[in-house]
Amino acid sequence: MDEKISAIKSWLGTGSIDIFGLPMSGKDTVAVQLAELLGGKMLSSGMIIRSMEKETHKPLSASGNLIPSDVFANWVLPYFSRPELKDFPLILSSVGRWSGEEDAVMNFAELAGHPIKAVILLNISENDVTKRWELVHATGTREATSSEERADDKKIETFQVRLDEFRKKTLPVILHYRSLGLLVQVDADAPREVVMNSVIDGLYDFITPKDASA
């Protein structure tokens, strides 16, 4: 595994890997762990948005809907150019979730020296993430990486809106990245360590030249 991580780190340089998945699929958890393994920085659009909502007193995501693309451009995209991120690879947690935002993300990332080099999709069913939501609210627990109170996680109706937003707005983003040959799919319906191993294996396979004669 260490050899694979070293190879991925060398290939990635100061580039970016964007991680997508349904709500409760473990995006932030995987992003934090992957950033640690690769010596990178984790950048979450959700965390940035919630921080800006508190700062501006504009709870735009409380209903479960994605924030407008112009707000996303003003709040999230400038982070790519932050000087403290300059010399590090970036592991992104669902940055650019609305169809049409992916081109702006790729452009900003490229200009800042963090080109998008791979996109990971954490595959898990809506039924399974709904069960995760129910378990979290039954036990009062949250993942350590996303323990802050979320207005869009309080009610099942709002959670269902988030699922609908993913289907309508984010799935086309993922399909676009797939058309560009950037998509790496990983089974996320597994224990954390298994998912992380699958992420590393998937990225290593992605960067390993294929034998054309095979």
Side-chain angles (χ1 to χ4, degrees), residues 139-181:
T139 60
T141 59
R142 281 287 287 171
E143 295 288 349
T145 56
S146 53
S147 58
E148 73 274 11
E149 184 70 14
R150 289 188 55 160
D152 58 358
D153 263 352
K154 292 180 180 179
K155 299 179 180 179
I156 187 61
E157 294 84 4
T158 310
F159 184 72
Q160 293 294 337
V161 170
R162 294 179 66 200
L163 296 180
D164 191 51
E165 290 283 88
F166 180 89
R167 272 185 247 111
K168 292 179 178 178
K169 298 174 180 176
T170 306
L171 189 56
V173 173
I174 295 167
L175 294 176
H176 180 65
Y177 282 127
R178 185 176 70 178
S179 73
L180 296 176

Side-chain angles (χ1 to χ4, degrees), residues 102-150:
E102 62 271 26
D103 288 336
V105 169
M106 286 189 287
N107 288 336
F108 268 76
E110 182 81 33
L111 289 172
H114 303 290
I116 304 293
K117 301 189 75 172
V119 172
I120 294 172
L121 173 61
L122 299 177
N123 274 323
I124 186 170
S125 71
E126 290 190 9
N127 183 56
D128 285 331
V129 293
T130 301
K131 287 180 180 178
R132 287 186 180 183
W133 185 94
E134 292 170 345
L135 179 62
V136 162
H137 285 74
T139 60
T141 59
R142 281 287 287 171
E143 295 288 349
T145 56
S146 53
S147 58
E148 73 274 11
E149 184 70 14
R150 289 188 55 160

Side-chain angles (χ1 to χ4, degrees), residues 50-91:
R50 289 189 289 278
S51 175
M52 290 297 295
E53 285 176 328
K54 290 179 182 178
E55 184 178 319
T56 61
H57 305 290
K58 295 179 180 179
L60 300 179
S61 65
S63 65
N65 295 104
L66 298 182
I67 65 169
S69 289
D70 59 336
V71 178
F72 167 80
N74 291 328
W75 283 4
V76 179
L77 292 180
Y79 272 73
F80 281 106
S81 298
R82 289 208 164 193
E84 65 268 26
L85 303 178
K86 179 181 178 182
D87 298 321
F88 295 91
L90 301 182
I91 308 302

